[in-house]
Amino acid sequence: MKTSEIRQRWLDYFGERGHTVVPSASLVSEDPTVMFTIAGMVPFIPYLTGLIPAPYPRATSVQKCIRTNDIEEVGKTPRHGTFFQMTGNFSFGDYFKEGAIGYAWELLTSAESSGGYGFDEKDLWVTVYKDDDEAIALWKRIAGLPDERIQRLDKDTNYWSTGHPGPAGPSSEIFFDRGPAYGADGGPATDDDRYVEIWNLVFMQYAIENVTSKTNFDIVGELPSKNIDTGLGLERVAFLKQGVENMYEIDQVRPVLDRASELSGRRYGAVHDDDVRMRVIADHVRSSLMLMSDGVTPSNEGRGYILRRLLRRSVRAMRLLGVDGPSFPELFTVSRDAMSASYPEVSQNFDRISQAAYGEEDTFLHTLESGTSILDLAVDSSKKAGKDVLAGDTAFLLHDTYGFPIDLTLEIADEAGLTVDRDAFDSLMSQQKQRAKADAKSKKSHVADLSVYSAFRAHGETQFLGYTEMTAESRVLGLIVDGVSVTSASQGQTAEVILAETTLYAESGGQDADKGTIVGNGYELEVLDVQKPVKGLISHTVKVKRGVVSVDAGATTVVDAGYRRGARQAHSGTHVIHAALRQILGPNAHQSGSYNKAGYLRLDFSWNQALSRETLTEIEEISNNAIRDNLEVVTRELPLDEAKSLGAMALFGEKYGDVVRVVDIGGPWSRELCAGTHVSTSAEIGMINLVNESSVGSTNRRVESLVGLEAFDDLTAERAIVRELTSSLKTPREQLPSRISDLVTSLKQAEKKIKEYESRAQAQRVPELLASAQTVGSIRVVAEALNDVATADDVRTLVTTTRDRLGSEPSVVALAANVKGRPVIIVATNQAARSAGVHAGQIIRTAAGVLGGGGGGKDDIAQGGGQDVTAIPAALASVVDAVKA
């Protein structure tokens, strides 16, 4: 049974039993504290917790999920995967335990010919929470399970909660017994790979408080409305139904594994380590494909970093299999073909996906090449020093700065007869992870408890009237101060205001929030921000400028007309530039992010090379021609499928409902799904002035533009500069470029001559320095302070020149100077001094310490610095003392 068929059987079964079939949400999580959708129930959490009233009594879905917390275990166990699909059926105050258990047992054990999964009842076990006698009785009655195949377990495995006060409840899990060949008898309680968990049923029936851990909390009563949340692991059922050993061998994953085997010439099943690498490749390529299909692009932070890590781990694994060249064109194509039956969008978006993936692989292959060069130098240096261990900080530098995998460092070091100081490397990695966790915790602590909004959301959605109105009458539904619901807020306080209706636009879709005011009888509020903390609810952050605002008070929202005009210009300008980009570069130049506010916009798009000045000029010209042509801007609300059939572009990572807003500029020339505010005709945009183009990753570029009056003001400022230059240089405007070019050439020639004069002047100081040499033991030492030295490079030149002029007898040169207010000291030794045991790197640490700083370098030359320029004489004296020692 193919994975796509298992998926469709699930949806058909529950759809026929009154469940609303809900499409999979994006892998990009809407929860600001979580990067990805990590479980099938995540999109339904607002309904399960009562934050938002459920729009249907029962639902079903097959949700795409990503988890990377166990990434190091991928390939090593039969069930660890980064991308997986979780099927779920949900009840919001409708059926409860009996219905959930009945549905699960029927679907699992019904014959394949009647739409079921055809599992043999004798192979199925269940676990329940130890005190849930009700569930045990139901399993016996509905499924006829004997006592020995029902196991009672504790809260750590069979009790669900969010980890916070609120809804919770016992769970029951269904396991498949793979047979004695896979492990010992004893059922799921043995925690053995023999028993594979395939279905988890959560009975959300209690309210809990005083939560201190996953297993320590107080049950304070039953919920007024009990919910069901169940989930079946699609990949786990697939490998059981397909008769293979693990999830990496199912029909959606195995083709990539097989292609990796073909490319490498390594047979799957022959060598354990090679098998793990092939499974890693198969998993990571599929996960990357699905992430990029949902709009994630490789970068150095957040979701993009996780994607980059998956891609680079794949490249690394291929290299360890002996494949040094590009492999993604083969692997991603195979993964696309395997996933398209369930997710047609991966084929529809494959040009964009493949461009990003291939560009990332090419970049990382170059990184590996440069990293290998750096590692080779480090290995050579270690061996020359007689060491058989490569320093852990070197391995960490390669990993952290260059993205060079530790596995490759270990491999190359081993080939050279060295080991790597893993303890030091692991310690540095641990420190980095702790910093990252602390940063994540800090960010998370600033996210408000969304439960405060549930009572307000229960009144319904906030009506946004701002598309057609600039002011609107409403009433105050609620006030929040410091995350707590209050009845009033007075002058000077900052608060959140929840209204029944508003004309103020909440930040979304790349458009910044409106500016404006909210006024009522006896009060005035300055609007600082407008957000959507939960779906369907708009919250206004305000400063109370005058009076007291109270719940149930009348309120009038007033949009700042000038700011809104600028925001409309910028948002419509974003659409125009996007259309112009695609006209010039083609359909692969797809928007991947945007931000616009009054007077300014930026647009990120998928592309892997810088745009030439000529291309930017052409894009700007097309955009301004569209403005000049006064194209009509039309907005329509249409069913999502109809909008897409008309060619309206959906932006990756954006969430869309069943009915969407389509914005046309010039008909199909620019047709996008967009909930932002827009001008009526393109002429109202005024002007587009592209001011910058830059990279935001190996496969993404960014253009920035000023819009409207701000664009005109910037051009006016440039005109003023041109006028000043023509006046100062006494040159006509059209001759300015050549005149400035001539001046720059002359300046460079002058700087070169000055440098030559300075070099001669420095060289004339060498005899004086040689004359200052003193003999310390058997070593000649020059330790002098320099005056009138501009840079550390000048000091270094004098140090090396003086050392070379001292000849072959053991010599040390230490020169120090005040460079831009800070002390700099450089020490150099010749070969004879080093043979006598005198090393520059050792000396510099002592001297720099005297200066109140630090330093480092090699045995032949080292540099240090500090804070105290008055300590230069003492630092030089410490050099002499170090040579004496």
Side-chain angles (χ1 to χ4, degrees):
M1 189 181 295
K2 290 185 177 297
T3 308
S4 58
E5 183 183 348
I6 298 171
R7 175 181 184 273
Q8 193 59 49
R9 283 178 180 241
W10 177 278
L11 295 175
D12 290 344
Y13 176 86
F14 284 103
E16 291 166 1
R17 286 156 181 79
H19 292 67
T20 298
V21 177
V22 180
S24 173
S26 170
L27 286 168
V28 178
S29 174
E30 289 184 329
D31 184 341
T33 67
V34 181
M35 284 194 290
F36 299 119
T37 301
I38 59 173
M41 52 86 72
V42 167
F44 300 95
I45 287 178
Y47 311 144
L48 294 167
T49 59
L51 181 63
I52 298 176
Y56 23 66
R58 51 177 71 181
T60 187
S61 69
V62 178
Q63 176 60 48
K64 300 176 292 185
C65 303
I66 284 279
R67 288 184 194 168
T68 58
N69 52 321
D70 292 329
I71 193 170
E72 300 297 338
E73 297 303 312
V74 171
K76 300 176 183 177
T77 73
R79 57 182 182 270
H80 274 97
T82 50
F83 173 83
F84 60 97
Q85 299 156 88
M86 185 63 73
T87 64
N89 59 287
F90 306 90
S91 166
F92 311 107
D94 191 6
Y95 62 84
F96 198 50
K97 287 184 186 178
E98 182 173 3
I101 290 172
Y103 286 142
W105 194 253
E106 181 181 37
L107 179 56
L108 282 176
T109 61
S110 293
E112 292 184 13
S113 59
S114 59
Y117 290 143
F119 282 102
D120 193 324
E121 294 182 11
K122 67 178 177 57
D123 294 327
L124 300 177
W125 292 62
V126 299
T127 63
V128 296
Y129 176 55
K130 64 180 183 179
D131 296 333
D132 194 356
D133 294 332
E134 180 187 6
I136 291 175
L138 288 168
W139 278 117
K140 289 181 177 181
R141 177 167 63 82
I142 295 171
L145 282 171
D147 287 336
E148 61 268 21
R149 295 222 309 278
I150 303 174
Q151 295 186 321
R152 296 177 184 258
L153 298 179
D154 213 336
K155 287 180 180 176
D156 58 336
T157 59
N158 280 70
Y159 210 95
W160 177 88
S161 77
T162 63
H164 301 282
S171 67
S172 182
E173 297 173 337
I174 307 173
F175 290 78
F176 177 83
D177 179 6
R178 303 180 76 188
Y182 292 91
D185 291 333
T190 62
D191 196 27
D192 195 280
D193 283 344
R194 169 175 170 172
Y195 301 93
V196 179
E197 178 196 337
I198 54 176
W199 200 324
N200 182 23
L201 301 89
V202 174
F203 311 127
M204 209 174 297
Q205 65 186 111
Y206 297 115
I208 61 172
E209 292 183 356
N210 303 319
V211 182
T212 58
S213 72
K214 181 181 179 181
T215 58
N216 190 9
F217 48 78
D218 295 333
I219 298 175
V220 295
E222 291 206 350
L223 295 171
S225 177
K226 299 180 177 66
N227 298 327
I228 286 293
D229 157 27
T230 85
L232 173 142
L234 191 59
E235 280 77 10
R236 295 186 183 189
V237 172
F239 85 70
L240 295 173
K241 293 302 297 179
Q242 293 173 18
V244 295
E245 293 298 306
N246 51 61
M247 64 164 288
Y248 311 105
E249 298 176 13
I250 67 173
D251 61 306
Q252 286 187 344
V253 186
R254 181 64 187 253
V256 181
L257 187 153
D258 288 339
R259 186 57 56 89
S261 172
E262 293 170 9
L263 292 173
S264 65
R266 311 277 181 99
R267 183 174 64 83
Y268 182 65
V271 179
H272 172 72
D273 286 349
D274 285 350
D275 289 353
V276 170
R277 289 162 187 156
M278 291 181 205
R279 292 196 287 261
V280 166
I281 293 162
D283 171 86
H284 286 7
V285 166
R286 183 172 79 139
S287 298
S288 300
L289 174 80
M290 300 308 295
L291 280 171
M292 287 189 283
S293 179
D294 275 357
V296 182
T297 55
S299 70
N300 287 327
E301 57 186 14
R303 300 179 183 94
Y305 175 75
I306 299 297
L307 171 59
R308 173 162 284 169
R309 188 179 180 202
L310 292 170
L311 291 167
R312 292 188 169 193
R313 279 173 58 89
S314 303
V315 174
R316 178 198 68 186
M318 287 299 294
R319 181 186 173 103
L320 292 174
L321 289 172
V323 179
D324 293 333
S327 59
F328 281 0
E330 296 277 348
L331 300 176
F332 269 81
T333 301
V334 170
S335 189
R336 174 202 64 193
D337 294 343
M339 295 302 296
S340 292
S342 293
Y343 303 99
E345 61 269 23
V346 298
S347 290
Q348 296 162 7
N349 299 327
F350 192 69
D351 284 348
R352 174 183 59 82
I353 293 168
S354 59
Q355 183 182 56
Y358 303 165
E360 184 67 19
E361 180 181 38
D362 184 63
T363 298
F364 188 49
L365 287 172
H366 284 94
T367 295
L368 289 176
E369 185 177 341
S370 60
T372 301
S373 300
I374 294 168
L375 180 55
D376 287 344
L377 290 173
V379 167
D380 186 57
S381 177
S382 296
K383 294 179 75 172
K384 284 182 178 178
K387 300 175 183 177
D388 58 4
V389 178
L390 187 71
D393 56 357
T394 300
F396 179 75
L397 174 70
L398 284 164
H399 166 83
D400 192 50
T401 303
Y402 298 97
F404 200 81
I406 182 62
D407 286 4
L408 282 181
T409 300
L410 292 169
E411 177 191 19
I412 293 171
D414 182 62
E415 289 172 354
L418 300 178
T419 59
V420 177
D421 187 345
R422 280 303 300 265
D423 289 342
F425 174 84
D426 291 341
S427 175
L428 290 167
M429 282 294 293
S430 177
Q431 293 172 31
Q432 184 191 59
K433 288 178 180 178
Q434 290 301 319
R435 288 192 297 270
K437 285 182 180 178
D439 182 54
K441 185 177 180 181
S442 171
K443 291 178 180 177
K444 190 171 181 178
S445 68
H446 288 86
V447 178
D449 180 0
L450 296 180
S451 63
V452 72
Y453 300 105
S454 59
F456 309 130
R457 182 61 179 80
H459 290 287
E461 296 190 9
T462 308
Q463 285 188 277
F464 177 64
L465 308 176
Y467 291 132
T468 57
E469 306 293 334
M470 299 293 279
T471 64
E473 302 294 325
S474 187
R475 67 183 182 91
V476 178
L477 296 180
L479 293 163
I480 301 170
V481 176
D482 296 329
V484 178
S485 179
V486 297
T487 57
S488 65
S490 43
Q491 184 171 333
Q493 283 190 290
T494 299
E496 289 183 67
V497 179
I498 311 297
L499 303 174
E501 301 88 12
T502 185
T503 53
L504 291 152
Y505 185 82
E507 180 182 358
S508 59
Q511 182 175 329
D512 209 354
D514 270 338
K515 297 185 184 301
T517 57
I518 300 172
V519 296
N521 187 16
Y523 71 86
E524 179 183 353
L525 314 177
E526 178 189 357
V527 177
L528 306 177
D529 193 14
V530 191
Q531 294 291 331
K532 296 178 180 177
V534 298
K535 185 177 180 181
L537 191 74
I538 295 176
S539 172
H540 310 75
T541 300
V542 302
K543 180 74 171 288
V544 183
K545 303 295 289 183
R546 176 176 59 84
V548 177
V549 58
S550 303
V551 173
D552 285 329
T556 301
T557 60
V558 182
V559 177
D560 181 323
Y563 189 85
R564 169 66 76 80
R565 183 186 307 112
R568 288 200 307 258
Q569 289 174 318
H571 205 152
S572 297
T574 303
H575 286 221
V576 166
I577 291 176
H578 189 202
L581 272 168
R582 291 169 64 81
Q583 183 173 324
I584 297 299
L585 303 178
N588 286 340
H590 200 291
Q591 180 177 330
S592 57
S594 68
Y595 173 72
N596 47 76
K597 62 179 182 179
Y600 168 85
L601 70 86
R602 69 168 183 250
L603 173 67
D604 297 346
F605 59 99
S606 51
W607 201 250
N608 59 5
Q609 59 186 8
L611 304 186
S612 67
R613 184 65 254 177
E614 292 76 16
T615 299
L616 288 170
T617 298
E618 191 173 0
I619 292 167
E620 189 177 65
E621 183 178 352
I622 291 172
S623 299
N624 283 306
N625 283 340
I627 292 171
R628 180 202 61 191
D629 292 342
N630 199 25
L631 303 175
E632 185 180 14
V633 179
V634 176
T635 60
R636 295 172 288 169
E637 288 194 350
L638 298 171
L640 179 59
D641 290 341
E642 182 181 347
K644 288 184 174 180
S645 70
L646 292 173
M649 281 188 292
L651 302 185
F652 301 106
E654 289 293 319
K655 316 298 186 299
Y656 298 103
D658 295 333
V659 177
V660 294
R661 191 163 178 264
V662 180
V663 178
D664 290 353
I665 302 178
W669 183 72
S670 169
R671 178 169 288 162
E672 298 188 19
L673 305 185
C674 181
T677 63
H678 288 274
V679 297
S680 299
T681 66
S682 62
E684 293 177 29
I685 297 172
M687 179 184 294
I688 293 291
N689 177 11
L690 291 178
V691 293
N692 192 42
E693 190 269 352
S694 60
S695 169
V696 284
S698 59
T699 58
N700 275 279
R701 306 296 299 180
R702 169 176 293 171
V703 290
E704 297 174 85
S705 177
L706 298 177
V707 187
L709 187 59
E710 283 76 3
F712 178 78
D713 288 343
D714 184 69
L715 293 173
T716 300
E718 287 191 4
R719 184 172 62 181
I721 293 171
V722 171
R723 283 176 174 170
E724 186 174 344
L725 287 172
T726 58
S727 175
S728 298
L729 299 177
K730 296 180 173 54
T731 303
R733 184 178 65 178
E734 59 274 11
Q735 296 179 16
L736 274 178
S738 60
R739 174 66 171 145
I740 292 173
S741 177
D742 291 343
L743 288 172
V744 169
T745 300
S746 298
L747 180 60
K748 287 181 178 178
Q749 291 172 346
E751 288 175 342
K752 184 178 178 181
K753 290 181 179 178
I754 291 170
K755 192 67 178 176
E756 290 172 354
Y757 291 141
E758 288 176 344
S759 296
R760 288 190 203 128
Q762 295 289 1
Q764 291 171 2
R765 304 177 73 171
V766 173
E768 180 183 347
L769 292 171
L770 292 171
S772 72
Q774 55 185 300
T775 302
V776 179
S778 61
I779 297 175
R780 297 188 70 191
V781 178
V782 173
E784 293 291 322
L786 302 174
N787 297 318
D788 302 324
V789 177
T791 68
D793 286 343
D794 293 336
V795 179
R796 181 179 289 266
T797 299
L798 278 173
V799 166
T800 55
T801 303
T802 304
R803 178 193 60 185
D804 295 344
R805 292 279 297 275
L806 282 169
S808 59
E809 59 184 300
S811 303
V812 175
V813 179
L815 301 181
N818 179 343
V819 177
K820 297 179 182 178
R822 290 182 178 272
V824 170
I825 185 167
I826 298 178
V827 177
T829 61
N830 65 4
Q831 182 60 54
R834 295 193 291 277
S835 298
V838 180
H839 303 290
Q842 296 173 349
I843 294 174
I844 203 67
R845 282 189 282 273
T846 300
V850 175
L851 295 172
K858 299 180 180 179
D859 291 343
D860 60 335
I861 189 164
Q863 179 174 328
Q867 305 295 324
D868 186 3
V869 293
T870 64
I872 286 177
L876 292 168
S878 75
V879 172
V880 177
D881 291 341
V883 174
K884 287 180 182 177

